[in-house]
Structure formats: structure tokens, C-alpha cells
Amino acid sequence: MARQDVKDEVIYLRSAGVDLGKRFLLACVRVPSPKRTGNWSLETERFATTRGEIERLRSWLVERGVEIVVMEATSDYWRAVYYALQPHLNLALVNPAHLKGIRGRKTDPSDAAFLARAGASGLVMGSFVPQRHIRELRDLTRRRTEIVRAAGSEAQRLEKELEDTGMKLSSVLTDLVGLSGRLILEALVAGERDPGRLADLAVGKARAKIPALAEALEGDFTEHHAFMVRHFLDEISRLNDTVKVFDARIATLLGRYETDLMNLDTIPGIGRLAAEIVVAETGGEMAQFASAHHLASWIGVCPGQNESAGVSRSGRTRPGNRSLKRVLGVAAMAAIRNRDSYLAVFYRRLAARRGSQRALVAVMHKIAIAIWHVLHDHVPYRELGADHFAKRDPERAMRRMTKEANSLGLTIRFDPIVEPVTA
């Protein structure tokens, strides 16, 4: 049996639980009973969710001297209550999945009492709620991501409209709304129909594809198609202009994190935009994450645990932070393309045994650990190199090479390289 030292849970004599709703909330205060030692007194009160009622809730809790207030992260209803109470009380915002009431005995008052009891016994762990400027930065980066995805959806609708004309422009051009694509589409909308003249509008590397473009631009482009293409192009331009406005606003708020952004940019697969999202989601400070593995668990890029009676079953990754998980997924796919990097070698070694999907999640886990160290120590990423595993365990590498040679009917011998003696 393993022995370990653990930190005792904090026991609170006076606690409160708040069950949140859209129009009203129920608060329950749990305090020692003044009549009988060892018993507890529960007092429940109903409040509306308006600002004045929340102020009354704050006064009600302060008067009763509660030491901790526990509330569930119910939709977005917790925000107004949490932000109003945070400066005055010790709050714990908990994941609803961690506190499940007994089925068949579920009411709003019982939920509030259960939250107060869980808070008093120290069985709940508060979620990470960043400061105001980080919350504002989160709103901006998340909304920017939504706008970029909306622009991508409009580009897909534009491609669908061109398919109706019989033109196969997207089969030749990688970016349909890039410079060459836009020049061709603008000319189509303006009335040009000759495939040769349209193909000659291509610029840059796309000019090497002029014969293929001329063939792909043969189709039936009507006035209706011109109207729809004009609409899609204008919508994409409007969304791209909005993204630029958000970029400027985000850059203003991230001025103090410029060094950390540059350090994050050194991690394989993490560019400037991904670094901005990392800072916005984590707050740029690692004080709230005890270790790199805590950060990986919070993001949701480590395997779950499902063991009972000594039998380990499949453990799925938890949902975690969706914004960061999406960024790490893109970063991992970009990182493994550089075949001479540590992450690419790690991916290939693991994919051969566990499959590509598990190996990709493992690379995401590695990147999350690197993010923690970069932000915690304020240093750039240090590349271990493609030969890291061979240098770490040379004998294992030699056994693997010997085994492969023997499978081909060959034998090999390893001799150390002698440095030439210089006169």
C-alpha cells in the first residue's frame, strides 16, 4: 500500500449554498444550532435575480457571518450573482457534474441545502474564475473565433453556389477567396464570361495554373449567380473587416503579455493567434494550476480514470476547456508535420502502438505541458530534437536496429566513432 501526505479539507462552521435560476434563486445558510450541540440549523430564503435583490442577498449572507458560499455554474445565470458577491464573500463556483443530488429527492431548497452541506465539509473545489480584464479578453477572442468560422461558412456557401454554375474554380485554386479567386469572381460579377480572360487574371503562383483555370471556368454563370456571389463576397469582406477590429482591440489588451506571447510562439504549432487564445483562457498566470498536469487536466487533454476492483476500464478525456482544446488540436496536427522534431517522433512512436487518434491527444498533452512551463518560468520553448529518445536510451535504440537488421537476414555491429587526432 502506498503512503502519501494529503492536505486536510477545510471545515466551515457557517456555510451557504445558492441554487440559481433565471428569475429567482434560493439561498440556504447552514450554521450550528444554538439549542442543541452537534446539530445544525438551516435557514432558506428566496431572492429575485435583479441587482437590488442580489444586494439584499449579499447583506443577508454577511449578517449571518457565512465563511463560504457555494453555487453551481448553471448556464450563465451565475455571472451576475458571482460578480456582485465576490468582493465581499468567499465564493466557490463548482461544476454541476460534481454535485448530483439523490434522484427522487430533488427540489430547489434541497439543492441549496446540499450545496451548503458540501461547502461546510470541504468536499467541493471552486472553479477558476479569472479577473475582469481576462474575462473581457476571453469574450473578444472567443467572439473573434466565431466570426472567423462564420467567414469560413460563407466561403463554403460561395463554393456551393459556384458548383451550381458548373464551374470548378475551387478544384484548381486552394483559396477560393484569395487574391486570384477574388479577382476572377469580381470579373464574373462585372459581366466577364470568357474563360481565357478570366484565367489570365490569376496572380502569383496561380499563373502556373492558367490552362487548368481556363478549363475550370467553363460553365453557365447567370445574373442570379452574379447576385449571389456578390452577396457572399460582401459578407466575407464585412466579416474580415470585423476580425481586424477585434484584432486591434485584443492587441491593446495584450500589451502587458508581449513577452509571454513571444515565448508561446516558439512552441511548435502555436502561432500568434493561438498564443493570444492561450493567454485569454488561462489568464497568462500559472498560479492557479499547481503543476503542468493540472493544466492539462483542466484543458481536458489527459485520459480519464476508470478503475474498480483492480480492473482499469476505458477512460475518456473530459470536456475541459473547449476553446483551448480546439487550439491544441490544430497545434498538434501542425507540430507533427515537421518530421525532424521531438513531437513528430513522439507521435510516430506512439501511433504505431496505440493508434493515430490517441497519439494526437498525447501530443496535445505534451503541448499543454510546454505551455505551463513557458508561462510559469517565462522562458521560450526548448526543442529536444528528433534524436531525444535515442540519446535517452541508446541500448534500446541499438536493440531495435539489431532486430530490424536480423529480420532482413543481416547482422550489424556497433563501434564507437573515434575522433581524428589533429596535429
Side-chain angles (χ1 to χ4, degrees):
M1 298 296 292
R3 178 178 178 179
Q4 58 180 341
D5 296 329
V6 298
K7 193 175 182 179
D8 290 338
E9 291 84 0
V10 179
I11 307 299
Y12 297 98
L13 294 178
R14 310 178 73 86
S15 63
V18 178
D19 184 68
L20 298 168
K22 182 177 182 179
R23 295 185 301 272
F24 67 90
L25 59 87
L26 284 175
C28 178
V29 172
R30 182 178 186 269
V31 298
S33 175
K35 298 181 179 179
R36 181 176 297 180
T37 304
N39 286 5
W40 301 89
S41 176
L42 300 179
E43 182 181 0
T44 305
E45 182 75 15
R46 174 170 170 161
F47 300 86
T49 53
T50 58
R51 187 65 181 210
E53 282 288 279
I54 295 177
E55 291 295 330
R56 186 169 73 89
L57 168 65
R58 177 182 61 81
S59 302
W60 188 75
L61 294 173
V62 171
E63 288 174 1
R64 282 147 184 80
V66 295
E67 301 170 277
I68 186 172
V69 180
V70 179
M71 63 180 66
E72 290 181 335
T74 306
S75 183
D76 288 325
Y77 303 147
W78 63 269
R79 295 180 181 271
V81 181
Y82 188 95
Y83 299 154
L85 300 182
Q86 186 181 24
H88 311 279
L89 295 164
N90 179 24
L91 300 183
L93 182 71
V94 300
N95 190 336
H98 297 167
L99 295 173
K100 289 289 186 180
I102 301 175
R103 183 175 298 179
R105 295 172 55 185
K106 199 276 183 200
T107 63
D108 291 341
S110 65
D111 283 348
F114 179 71
L115 291 173
R117 187 180 302 110
S121 59
L123 297 180
V124 294
M125 182 179 298
S127 301
F128 166 53
V129 181
Q131 299 178 0
R132 176 180 292 274
H133 72 280
I134 294 297
R135 298 198 301 264
E136 295 174 354
L137 187 59
R138 270 188 182 181
D139 289 342
L140 291 171
T141 55
R142 291 180 180 181
R143 179 54 184 163
R144 181 180 63 181
T145 301
E146 293 173 355
I147 297 172
V148 171
R149 295 174 67 181
S153 298
E154 292 299 323
Q156 291 176 341
R157 296 185 181 100
L158 172 60
E159 181 181 359
K160 181 180 178 181
E161 190 67 29
L162 288 179
E163 289 292 331
D164 189 65
T165 68
M167 295 181 175
K168 298 295 182 178
L169 186 60
S170 61
S171 300
V172 181
L173 294 180
T174 304
D175 187 4
L176 186 61
V177 291
L179 181 56
S180 296
R182 272 191 170 274
L183 290 174
I184 294 173
L185 292 174
E186 292 285 354
L188 280 169
V189 173
E192 182 61 59
R193 297 293 184 269
D194 183 76
R197 286 196 289 268
L198 289 171
D200 193 54
L201 295 174
V203 297
K205 296 180 178 180
R207 294 197 62 81
K209 305 177 181 179
I210 287 180
L213 280 172
E215 185 178 359
L217 286 169
E218 294 180 358
D220 185 16
F221 195 90
T222 65
E223 290 298 323
H224 170 72
H225 296 133
F227 176 84
M228 294 300 295
V229 169
R230 176 79 274 163
H231 162 70
F232 289 129
L233 289 176
D234 292 343
E235 192 68 12
I236 292 171
S237 298
R238 183 186 66 82
L239 292 172
N240 289 336
D241 292 340
T242 305
V243 169
K244 294 178 181 178
V245 175
F246 272 75
D247 287 340
R249 176 67 176 172
I250 292 171
T252 302
L253 296 180
L254 284 173
R256 70 178 79 173
Y257 299 100
E258 189 61 34
T259 302
D260 288 332
L261 291 173
M262 294 175 61
N263 290 336
L264 287 171
D265 198 8
T266 61
I267 301 176
I270 299 292
R272 175 73 183 197
L273 291 180
E276 292 176 353
I277 295 176
V278 168
V279 173
E281 296 297 329
T282 63
E285 299 291 339
M286 295 295 103
Q288 60 271 10
F289 303 107
S291 67
H293 297 288
H294 282 79
L295 174 63
S297 177
W298 179 74
I299 297 174
V301 290
C302 62
Q305 294 180 337
N306 186 7
E307 184 266 335
S308 179
V311 178
S312 295
R313 298 177 177 85
S314 176
R316 294 179 177 270
T317 58
R318 54 190 299 274
N321 186 297
R322 296 180 180 177
S323 298
L324 273 182
K325 184 180 285 190
R326 180 175 60 250
V327 168
L328 292 186
V330 176
M333 288 187 288
I336 62 178
R337 292 175 184 170
N338 182 8
R339 299 184 62 86
D340 295 330
S341 66
Y342 162 76
L343 292 178
V345 174
F346 172 77
Y347 169 80
R348 293 196 297 269
R349 286 166 58 94
L350 193 58
R353 294 183 286 113
R354 302 301 304 276
S356 59
Q357 292 299 322
R358 286 188 174 93
L360 190 65
V361 175
V363 174
M364 294 166 61
H365 181 85
K366 290 285 188 181
I367 296 177
I369 292 177
I371 288 173
W372 187 90
H373 285 285
V374 166
L375 292 178
H376 182 267
D377 301 331
H378 303 287
V379 295
Y381 174 80
R382 182 172 62 89
E383 172 63 42
L384 296 177
D387 58 349
H388 169 74
F389 294 103
K391 290 182 177 179
R392 188 182 65 178
D393 193 351
E395 295 183 358
R396 180 179 179 183
M398 289 188 292
R399 287 196 303 268
R400 183 177 68 252
M401 289 184 283
T402 302
K403 183 178 180 181
E404 293 177 357
N406 292 340
S407 66
L408 297 175
L410 304 173
T411 182
I412 57 177
R413 185 180 66 184
F414 299 96
D415 293 325
I417 300 176
V418 179
E419 295 291 340
V421 179
T422 58

